[in-house]
Amino acid sequence: MLEIRNLHVTVEDREILKGIDLTIRPGEVHAIMGPNGSGKSTLANVIAGREGYTVTQGEIRFDGKNLLELEPDVRACEGLFLAFQYPVEIPGVANLYFLKAAVNAVRKYRGEPPVDAMDFWDLVHERMELVKMDESMLKRSVNEGFSGGEKKRNEVFQMAVLQPRFAVLDETDSGLDIDALKVVADGVNALRSPERGFLVITHYQRLLDYIVPDHVHVLVNGRIARSGGKDLALELEEQGYALYNEEPGRARRAAV
Amino acid sequence: MTAVAPVFQNPYRLAFAEFAANRRELAAVARLRREAFARFETLGWPTRQQEAWRFTDLSALQALTLQGPTDAPVEAGALPTLETPAHRLVFVNGRFAPGLSRLREMPERVLIASLGQTLLTQSRRVELYLDQLPGLAQHPFVALNTAFWEDGAFIHLPRGIAVETPIHVVCHATGGDSAVHPRLLLVLEDGARATVVVEYRGQGRYLNAPVAELALGAGATLRYHQIQEEAPRAFHLGGIRVRQGRDSQAQLHLLSAGGQLARTDLEALLDGEGASCTLNGLTLARDSQVGDYHVRIEHAQPRGTSQQWFRSVLDDKARSVFDGMIHVRPHAQKTDARQTSRNLLLSRQALANSNPRLEILADDVKCGHGSSTGFLDPDAEFYLRSRGIGAAQARAMLVHAFANDSLNQIRLTPLRERLARLLATRLALDITEGE
């Protein structure tokens, strides 16, 4: 469902991704691991359509459509979701209002009428339990004053409500204690289905104990250095990224 | 009285002579008018060489030949209501419209009435309070209002009386290049309490130059709302004077949304220990609208607190001006004065001028001011869009959130909800709350 071919991306004239090839089929969970600065978040942001990234070569296709030609909101309406590494605080916009606006935007894109208020409420409550989120968070402004764990939980909650066909999780585990990590993983696992694909980006193997991937890729210095099954994550846990640092300098330091 | 703006002086002098000759009123009031007109002639028409008018371009107004106000019929349905029981006073072109007004039962000795009518029946009461507050002495349009006012609201609450029913004053102008000068006189004696909503609106092209005088006795509480929704081609040049006694509390909510040029000068004198003054200003401007606030808070006594929150949302080539002075006199120790001006620019051509000023002559005070001007947060916009929300709606949601911070401070629920709808309409935003 997601095909990335020979993707080269620069940020402020510096090449960050240097030829990524990746194919993810429906129902698969792929993990991308790598040291800081290897380009993991760049990949997530390019898929979601954030400004400031220039694709110099290659393409990304989502169910055959040229993803790079679509506006970020159209990508979301097509069924793409990004769980942010750093969810943005938006004072003055209530979480629930925001979610409803998002759900209705997607429905409108599909030519469906706005969601029925009762149906929406039921869905929200069901999904809230999935990520063990407190109801008071619905009335609060989006992410405002949320703890790190609450923000990440809110990301998974949004994903659970929006039910995308393909989700990218950008270091959703960073900054979480083990209990929060389990809650987040349970939320993701509950959404796994034969139709839905996931790209899980993480620095640590830990998350992959709970979200067991079908494929693991090691991203180093803008290239996929190695791909394998879930055991590759365990191997990395033991050996670290140092093995993959062929080029001295930045990446090596960052891997420590 | 030499060297005044000659182009402007003569027609006004003629108009004043005619106006004054036709009035039958208390000698003291007639004298106030003459003195005010003389003051206007001395001050002259403001120019941009004057510091206080540096950012206010009056040339479009100056090009008009202004007429005196006329009587014109106005449909009741065209005027806003508070959607809650209220004492209602309506003025059309600065003149009382009894047929559109409605006063409800009120406590004994409370006066909520037309200032013009009160001048006929209780002239001493008017003389006692009219034009007695200090401040804005150098403001030519305040002087013009004092010379030319015909009517307005007079609200007088005796000691210890609370009027819970909101007092709704609607000033409507019907255009025709007329100049209207409504006057509002509000006196809250010690411990009195009132909620007042003043709305300025109209149609066509005109100058509205209102003056409000708000006197608060010791321990008095005022919630005051000024909703400026003048017609798009109108000019609004208003003055507000406030004097506060010991431990009094004044909350002023100032919304500026209409007019091609709208400026309000406000001067508040915290004249009693522990007085507290809160100003919550919101300017919404687009096209080439100018929204302008000049504020001076005068801390004259110890332990006073003042808070100013001024926000503006500027689209197209719109411009906002905020000039805010906090002046703390030597005697006013333990003053706590804050001032914040935040401006949100929605276009590259929009411009916000912010000029916060402090003059502190006491040594044991807490004073602070901050000012920020910027565009919408691109990260927040991307976050909303990444969830499927289109670019236009995402931006509208963020603007709404910024402005709503101001509206949320209004406790008068039906008014707050009406203003939230006005804001949503201007942003073309559907704000059916998700609850």
Side-chain angles (χ1 to χ4, degrees):
Chain A
M1 65 193 320
L2 190 82
E3 285 172 81
I4 301 175
R5 281 196 215 113
N6 190 32
L7 186 69
H8 289 252
V9 175
T10 59
V11 177
E12 289 167 359
D13 293 333
R14 204 161 61 89
E15 190 167 48
I16 305 293
L17 296 182
K18 302 167 182 174
I20 301 284
D21 289 283
L22 187 63
T23 300
I24 300 175
R25 293 174 195 84
E28 291 181 349
V29 175
H30 287 236
I32 289 205
M33 301 184 69
N36 292 330
S38 59
K40 301 192 299 292
S41 284
T42 296
L43 180 60
N45 285 320
V46 169
I47 293 172
R50 190 192 279 268
E51 283 182 13
Y53 298 87
T54 310
V55 176
T56 52
Q57 280 185 66
E59 61 171 5
I60 306 178
R61 294 206 164 261
F62 185 47
D63 285 343
K65 287 184 184 156
N66 183 351
L67 196 68
L68 298 175
E69 282 179 352
L70 305 179
E71 292 291 319
D73 44 293
V74 177
R75 297 183 197 195
C77 289
E78 285 282 338
L80 195 78
F81 183 90
L82 170 65
F84 282 60
Q85 183 180 5
Y86 302 109
V88 184
E89 297 195 10
I90 309 181
V93 177
N95 226 355
L96 189 63
Y97 168 56
F98 158 60
L99 256 187
K100 198 174 182 183
V103 166
N104 281 333
V106 175
R107 290 177 69 94
K108 191 176 173 188
Y109 181 81
R110 293 190 193 136
E112 295 166 6
V115 66
D116 173 78
M118 291 305 286
D119 291 349
F120 180 67
W121 190 240
D122 288 346
L123 174 69
V124 160
H125 268 260
E126 187 198 330
R127 299 301 168 160
M128 240 165 40
E129 279 169 32
L130 188 66
V131 291
K132 298 186 173 55
M133 210 172 87
D134 193 77
E135 196 175 313
S136 68
M137 283 168 74
L138 294 176
K139 299 215 166 183
R140 286 163 65 184
S141 292
V142 177
N143 295 321
E144 191 185 30
F146 285 22
S147 70
E150 283 173 334
K151 282 181 183 169
K152 296 301 175 75
R153 228 182 278 189
N154 197 24
E155 294 294 290
V156 177
F157 168 62
Q158 290 171 34
M159 179 170 76
V161 171
L162 289 168
Q163 304 177 62
R165 289 185 300 126
F166 184 82
V168 180
L169 282 73
D170 187 7
E171 303 213 15
T172 301
D173 53 332
S174 65
L176 293 187
D177 62 31
I178 195 69
D179 292 330
L181 186 76
K182 280 182 189 164
V183 169
V184 164
D186 286 349
V188 173
N189 287 330
L191 291 174
R192 285 180 80 158
S193 81
E195 297 81 38
R196 194 169 278 141
F198 288 89
L199 180 61
V200 180
I201 292 172
T202 180
H203 186 88
Y204 304 103
Q205 181 270 339
R206 192 177 65 151
L207 177 68
L208 305 181
D209 286 342
Y210 300 97
I211 303 174
V212 180
D214 301 302
H215 302 272
V216 175
H217 312 276
V218 184
L219 186 66
V220 178
N221 197 18
R223 291 188 183 90
I224 291 179
R226 200 175 155 196
S227 295
K230 61 176 190 276
D231 296 337
L232 180 56
L234 293 169
E235 194 180 302
L236 280 171
E237 176 75 358
E238 286 167 18
Q239 300 174 354
Y241 295 113
L243 274 175
Y244 300 95
N245 281 329
E246 289 149 357
E247 294 174 30
R250 206 178 160 279
R252 185 183 301 271
R253 280 199 308 277
V256 175
Chain B
M1 235 184 284
T2 54
V4 292
V7 184
F8 192 65
Q9 175 196 343
N10 291 336
Y12 258 88
R13 181 176 284 180
L14 229 99
F16 183 71
E18 198 179 317
F19 175 82
N22 288 325
R23 292 195 69 87
R24 305 270 171 275
E25 61 192 2
L26 199 66
V29 172
R31 194 176 61 243
L32 269 184
R33 292 187 192 281
R34 280 197 306 275
E35 288 169 0
F37 189 73
R39 195 162 63 243
F40 167 70
E41 287 201 300
T42 310
L43 294 167
W45 187 261
T47 70
R48 296 183 72 181
Q49 276 71 54
Q50 290 165 281
E51 178 61 26
W53 295 87
R54 190 154 61 100
F55 292 110
T56 315
D57 182 0
L58 295 177
S59 55
L61 175 61
Q62 206 165 358
L64 302 184
T65 307
L66 292 170
Q67 314 292 321
T70 53
D71 289 319
V74 173
E75 291 284 319
L79 299 174
T81 71
L82 281 188
E83 294 163 30
T84 185
H87 299 292
R88 184 175 163 86
L89 291 166
V90 176
F91 301 87
V92 175
N93 294 332
R95 293 169 179 174
F96 186 47
L100 297 171
S101 303
R102 181 182 176 187
L103 295 170
R104 293 166 185 271
E105 210 174 314
M106 59 185 85
E108 233 178 297
R109 295 188 299 122
V110 165
L111 177 79
I112 302 171
S114 137
L115 181 62
Q117 289 188 352
T118 311
L119 184 60
L120 298 174
T121 55
Q122 304 179 56
S123 53
R124 289 287 299 152
R125 181 128 111 170
V126 175
E127 187 192 350
L128 203 57
Y129 295 109
L130 183 68
D131 205 36
Q132 295 303 305
L133 299 191
L136 306 179
Q138 302 300 310
H139 196 297
F141 294 95
V142 169
L144 267 187
N145 178 290
T146 307
F148 279 104
W149 71 270
E150 291 185 46
D151 213 333
F154 190 3
I155 299 160
H156 186 179
L157 273 58
R159 175 190 286 264
I161 297 289
V163 171
E164 303 295 350
T165 307
I167 301 161
H168 191 203
V169 179
V170 181
C171 297
H172 186 90
T174 61
D177 284 354
S178 61
V180 300
H181 303 96
R183 188 88 177 189
L184 183 123
L185 193 52
L186 179 137
V187 180
L188 300 183
E189 290 187 17
D190 295 356
R193 197 165 76 225
T195 299
V196 178
V197 180
V198 180
E199 305 212 39
Y200 297 115
R201 48 175 41 240
Q203 65 219 48
R205 193 171 61 185
Y206 56 90
L207 164 66
N208 183 17
V211 169
E213 297 186 89
L214 317 175
L216 281 72
T221 305
L222 173 65
R223 289 200 186 123
Y224 186 84
H225 312 75
Q226 172 174 299
I227 315 300
Q228 185 278 104
E229 278 191 87
E230 305 283 15
R233 293 161 68 213
F235 298 86
H236 179 105
L237 295 166
I240 301 175
R241 289 173 177 153
V242 186
R243 183 168 65 196
Q244 295 188 236
R246 181 173 47 80
D247 295 325
S248 63
Q249 290 183 34
Q251 277 178 32
L252 282 78
H253 304 279
L254 308 165
L255 174 77
S256 178
Q260 58 170 295
L261 168 66
R263 169 166 167 160
T264 295
D265 284 54
L266 183 150
E267 194 161 332
L269 175 64
L270 276 62
D271 204 15
E273 222 175 307
S276 142
C277 180
T278 304
L279 305 180
N280 168 32
L282 175 63
T283 298
L284 305 175
R286 59 188 169 193
D287 303 324
S288 51
Q289 281 186 297
V290 178
D292 185 337
Y293 282 105
H294 276 63
V295 174
R296 182 185 175 94
I297 305 276
E298 187 78 19
H299 282 270
Q301 297 293 335
R303 282 198 295 285
T305 58
S306 66
Q307 287 194 49
Q308 303 175 52
W309 296 92
F310 281 84
R311 287 180 182 78
S312 72
V313 179
L314 307 173
D315 205 349
D316 306 320
K317 292 178 177 170
R319 201 158 67 81
S320 72
V321 179
F322 174 70
D323 187 294
M325 159 70 90
I326 298 170
H327 186 261
V328 183
R329 293 188 191 168
H331 178 60
Q333 300 293 3
K334 307 279 183 195
T335 286
D336 189 340
R338 313 271 150 179
Q339 182 189 70
T340 308
S341 135
R342 293 182 61 200
N343 307 295
L344 180 57
L345 309 180
L346 303 181
S347 119
R348 297 273 159 192
Q349 281 90 45
L351 178 67
N353 294 108
S354 200
N355 189 16
R357 295 181 289 151
L358 292 173
E359 265 179 29
I360 303 169
L361 305 176
D363 51 20
D364 183 15
V365 301
K366 275 193 270 183
C367 290
H369 62 76
S371 171
S372 66
T373 298
F375 299 99
L376 285 174
D377 175 8
D379 289 338
E381 188 182 330
F382 176 66
Y383 191 79
L384 295 175
R385 293 186 70 191
S386 78
R387 299 303 183 242
I389 297 167
Q393 195 190 353
R395 281 197 287 271
M397 284 171 75
L398 295 173
V399 175
H400 185 265
F402 174 85
N404 210 31
D405 232 14
S406 174
L407 299 185
N408 276 336
Q409 294 177 43
I410 297 174
R411 300 258 198 92
L412 191 57
T413 308
L415 178 67
R416 183 182 65 240
E417 287 173 351
R418 199 187 94 203
L419 297 179
R421 286 197 299 276
L422 173 129
L423 176 64
T425 307
R426 283 192 65 145
L427 298 170
L429 182 67
D430 178 14
I431 53 156
T432 41
E433 292 295 334
E435 41 197 275

